[in-house]
Amino acid sequence: MPRYLSMVRIDEQTAPAEGPSDALMQRMGELIEEMTKAGVLLDTAGLTPTAQGTRVRWENGQLSVTDGPFTEAKEVVGGYAIVQAKDMAEAVEWTKRFLKVHEEHWTVTCEVREIVEG
C-alpha cells in the first residue's frame, strides 16, 4: 500500500502561545491510538518552533546557513504524519479527522503527498 506524508502547517504568529490544550492533546492521542491500531499511522511528531531551527540553502553554487526564526515565513511545518492508506482519498479522510480534533481558534493546514517509493 502507498505511503503518504501529511505536513502539518501552522501560523506561528496566531497559534496559541501556550501550545495545544490538554483536551486537544487527549483527542489527538485517541486518534493516534485508533490510527495505529488500524495499521494506518506509521509515524508522527510535532516540530519545535522555527526560532529553534536552522535553514541550510543551496543557491547559485553557494551554501548559506540561517538560524531561526524565519521572519518571511507565515505558515510553517509544525509537525508531520506518515500514513499508509489504500489511496489518496483514504489518506485525506484520516487527515480531515486529524484537523477536526483541533479547537476552532486553531488555523491548521495539512498538505498530503504520496511518498515516492524506490
Side-chain angles (χ1 to χ4, degrees), residues 9 22 39 54 75:
R9 297 182 182 273
D22 290 342
T54 300
E75 201 175 62

Side-chain angles (χ1 to χ4, degrees), residues 41-98:
L41 185 63
L42 302 178
D43 190 25
T44 188
L47 301 174
T48 59
T50 59
Q52 298 172 21
T54 300
R55 278 193 184 155
V56 181
R57 181 180 176 103
W58 176 258
E59 182 178 26
N60 297 321
Q62 299 290 317
L63 280 174
S64 63
V65 179
T66 308
D67 290 330
F70 313 115
T71 56
E72 73 278 3
K74 177 171 173 50
E75 201 175 62
V76 300
V77 177
Y80 70 92
I82 298 176
V83 299
Q84 186 168 297
K86 65 182 178 207
D87 55 26
M88 176 65 84
E90 182 183 14
V92 168
E93 284 306 312
W94 283 109
T95 300
K96 287 179 183 178
R97 290 191 56 195
F98 167 77

